[in-house]
Structures are given as structure tokens and as C-alpha cells.
Amino acid sequence: MAQSERSDQRRLRPAPLLFEPATAVADPEHFFDLESMEDPKELLGRATELALAFRAATDRAVEFQAIAAAQLADPRRFDRLTTADIARRAEWTEDYAQKMVEYGRTLLNTPSA
């Protein structure tokens, strides 16, 4: 396998998000130990891994929000919520809540691979 192929594969896998110790979190300058890295190549690599991991985590969380919104808006539920109620709970606009309900319905109706 060529070096560039290995780099591409490594980049596609998000870095594991590890919880930082409470003492490190209390220090506002501390962020996943990036501030202690002196080699800019290493810093760029780790920062990029973290950015990809956070992006992947955000995408996944949004999918779960959409699924939950669709489930809460399901007309078959006796306790279903309106999009206005969902918007209030999630701190969204009502238009965005409607789009998330629709997106969630597509996710729920798409068979898993």
C-alpha cells in the first residue's frame, strides 16, 4: 500500500474522542493536549483528526435529533408533539423542526445497510 493511500485511510477514520481529566478541562487553555505539541506537523495532524472526529460526531448527533423529532411528531402516537412543541424543546425554529421531522422520517424509512 502506498504512503498516500495509508494517509487517506488514516484521515477517514475519526480520532477517538477521549474524555479529558477534570483538571485539564478546568484549564481554559487546555484542549486535548494540543497546546503542548511543539511539532507543527504533529499539531496539524492531531488537530485535523479531532476536527474530523467532531464533525462525524456532530453529523451522527443531528441524525439522532432528526429521528427523535420524527418519532415525537408521529401521528400514530397518542402523545405526539407539534412541530412548534418540538422546536421549543430543541431550541429550533418551527421551520427547522419541520425539516428535521421530514429528515428523520427518511432516516426511519431507509433500510440499514
Side-chain angles (χ1 to χ4, degrees), residues 38-54:
E38 295 187 17
D39 179 4
K41 291 176 187 171
E42 184 181 332
L43 176 60
L44 179 61
R46 181 63 179 148
T48 301
E49 287 176 344
L50 284 169
L52 291 172
F54 282 120

Side-chain angles (χ1 to χ4, degrees), residues 33-107:
D33 209 29
L34 294 178
E35 71 287 343
S36 68
M37 293 182 170
E38 295 187 17
D39 179 4
K41 291 176 187 171
E42 184 181 332
L43 176 60
L44 179 61
R46 181 63 179 148
T48 301
E49 287 176 344
L50 284 169
L52 291 172
F54 282 120
R55 207 171 294 142
T58 299
D59 291 345
R60 194 73 177 124
V62 168
E63 288 175 355
F64 279 106
Q65 283 182 310
I67 289 169
Q71 290 172 335
L72 289 169
D74 187 339
R76 295 172 296 183
R77 289 178 63 109
F78 76 93
D79 61 344
R80 82 171 255 202
L81 298 179
T82 65
T83 53
D85 292 331
I86 294 168
R88 246 188 321 281
R89 285 178 181 242
E91 299 179 9
W92 297 333
T93 65
E94 196 168 338
D95 288 341
Y96 186 74
Q98 181 61 43
K99 289 179 183 184
M100 288 295 277
V101 167
E102 291 167 9
Y103 177 48
R105 286 178 178 151
T106 63
L107 292 172

Side-chain angles (χ1 to χ4, degrees), residues 9-36:
Q9 281 185 337
R10 197 172 334 144
R11 205 174 335 172
L12 295 177
R13 284 182 296 153
L17 294 178
L18 304 175
F19 291 98
E20 295 189 89
T23 55
V25 173
D27 179 6
E29 296 298 315
H30 184 84
F31 187 74
F32 288 91
D33 209 29
L34 294 178
E35 71 287 343
S36 68

